[in-house]
């Protein structure tokens, strides 16, 4: 599970190639590249947030399972 999320973060972070900025120059190019970088950062942040949420849910579930087995 961890390897899947790690691969997802790495591929997401490396996917910004600024292809949509082709043909732009000057300030328009800089703005387009900055917007693409911001979008990439937001996407990677959402994936990391999902990763943390899944880990918390799995950890709590495992903890409850271990407590229930220990008392029985």
């Amino acid at each position: 599970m961890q390897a899947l999320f790690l691969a997802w973060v790495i591929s997401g972070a490396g996917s910004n190639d600024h292809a949509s900025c082709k043909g732009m120059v000057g300030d328009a190019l800089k703005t387009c590249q900055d917007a693409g970088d911001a979008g990439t950062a937001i996407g990677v942040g959402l994936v990391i947030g999902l990763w943390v949420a899944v880990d918390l849910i799995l950890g709590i579930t495992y903890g409850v399972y271990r407590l229930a087995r220990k008392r029985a």
Side-chain angles (χ1 to χ4, degrees), residues 28-72:
L29 176 63
K30 179 72 173 143
T31 301
C32 181
Q33 289 173 340
D34 288 346
D37 292 342
T40 300
I42 291 169
V44 168
L46 288 173
V47 171
I48 291 172
L50 179 63
W51 188 355
V52 169
V54 167
D55 278 351
L56 281 173
I57 291 168
L58 288 175
I60 290 170
T61 303
Y62 180 72
V64 168
Y65 170 76
R66 293 278 297 181
L67 283 174
R69 273 185 65 100
K70 187 180 277 188
R71 295 177 192 229

